[in-house]
Amino acid sequence: MAFETKRISKFRSIMFGEIAFKKIELAFIMFGIYFITRPLQNILVWHPLPLMINCARQFFLMAIIAPSILVAIFHWVPMSGGIPRSTKFAAYIIGGLMGIIFFLLDSIAISGLGVSSSWKIVNVYDLIWVQSGTPIIQIVFIHLICQFVSPMGFLLLAAAYVRHKRHNYQYADVYNLIPTKWKYLEISLIIFAASFFSAGIAAIFGTYRTYPYIWSIYFIGAILSGIFELISIKLPPREAPSDLK
């Protein structure tokens, strides 16, 4: 997806800006790093290595990827007068704080590893919350609230911003496919946010264990979201374009 974004940018960067395409390309690369490292938590059995990988991945998502998506959307669907530097600064500060809280909670609550599933002689391991019994409900809620702020909050905020710009686009009579492009972009953001929400609900009912079926929810959500995002990127700004022949 990053490669395809880079290819499209050769034709579209004049209209949509080179910075916007670079940020979207970077977002795809960062998500690739985030998702491809997930199985490491399931095959490494030397505690606390899985805990360290989990905390690093989640901090990367909450403090870097999610704020970067919001900033990229502001470039891709520009606001009049440009993006205030304070907006970018606030996004990364909030994301960083949520990532730090997440890291501290995990280091307190996670007590070891357990077998989450087995297939013949292969065991899949994952982190266990509070070895002695039911996880402390206050810690669980703080944990979920952090993830609701980042990445979910940033994704929903970006979707709301895109929706507002889509319904108030002034040049729809000339660039008649721009509202459609932004509609696909909005759908992709909502799908990804919904996948994190669904995974969180599934984790609660699964006694807050990260079973493979739980993290596969946001894997599937990411794939669907990326497909809609790519459709948005590849859709031309107007009908009968000549720039991709």
Side-chain angles (χ1 to χ4, degrees):
M1 290 179 178
F3 177 80
E4 187 66 10
T5 301
K6 186 174 183 178
R7 186 184 75 85
I8 297 297
S9 69
K10 298 177 182 179
F11 306 97
R12 302 282 171 77
S13 59
I14 294 177
M15 178 172 184
F16 294 104
E18 186 177 358
I19 295 177
F21 278 102
K22 284 185 176 180
K23 288 187 176 297
I24 293 172
E25 179 186 351
L26 182 61
F28 278 133
I29 293 173
M30 289 192 294
F31 269 121
I33 296 171
Y34 173 76
F35 283 111
I36 204 171
T37 54
R38 179 59 178 85
L40 288 176
Q41 295 175 221
N42 301 112
I43 61 176
L44 295 177
V45 296
W46 303 283
H47 194 67
L49 279 179
L51 173 60
M52 295 169 62
I53 293 171
N54 180 62
C55 289
R57 290 178 66 255
Q58 290 302 121
F59 184 86
F60 186 50
L61 172 67
M62 301 169 79
I64 299 176
I65 298 179
S68 296
I69 290 176
L70 183 61
V71 172
I73 294 301
F74 286 150
H75 282 285
W76 184 244
V77 188
M79 59 180 66
S80 58
I83 308 169
R85 294 186 63 181
S86 58
T87 301
K88 300 179 185 179
F89 184 75
Y92 285 103
I93 287 295
I94 294 172
L97 287 174
M98 295 302 104
I100 291 172
I101 295 173
F102 184 97
F103 169 80
L104 294 175
L105 288 175
D106 264 19
S107 63
I108 293 171
I110 291 176
S111 56
L113 292 174
V115 177
S116 61
S117 60
S118 299
W119 184 74
K120 293 185 179 181
I121 62 172
V122 178
N123 291 327
V124 176
Y125 296 88
D126 222 327
L127 303 170
I128 297 177
W129 271 60
V130 188
Q131 185 79 31
S132 59
T134 305
I136 302 172
I137 192 65
Q138 293 90 338
I139 295 180
V140 170
F141 273 111
I142 296 172
H143 198 257
L144 292 175
I145 288 170
C146 288
Q147 295 177 78
F148 182 82
V149 174
S150 179
M152 268 191 60
F154 285 147
L155 293 171
L156 292 175
L157 179 60
Y161 172 75
V162 172
R163 184 178 183 84
H164 171 74
K165 296 290 286 187
R166 177 166 66 88
H167 286 288
N168 294 276
Y169 186 60
Q170 298 179 357
Y171 305 104
D173 54 337
V174 178
Y175 300 107
N176 49 16
L177 293 182
I178 292 292
T180 305
K181 286 175 68 70
W182 289 349
K183 182 179 181 179
Y184 281 117
L185 178 57
E186 179 188 344
I187 292 173
S188 73
L189 293 167
I190 293 175
I191 288 175
F192 201 24
S195 70
F196 277 102
F197 180 78
S198 301
I201 296 298
I204 292 175
F205 286 100
T207 64
Y208 222 63
R209 291 276 298 279
T210 51
Y211 296 107
Y213 81 88
I214 292 177
W215 57 261
S216 64
I217 292 175
Y218 60 82
F219 263 58
I220 296 172
I223 293 171
L224 293 175
S225 176
I227 290 172
F228 277 100
E229 171 75 3
L230 206 56
I231 292 174
S232 173
I233 292 171
K234 297 185 70 172
L235 195 69
R238 60 186 180 276
E239 294 178 352
S242 58
D243 58 347
L244 287 181
K245 290 184 179 180

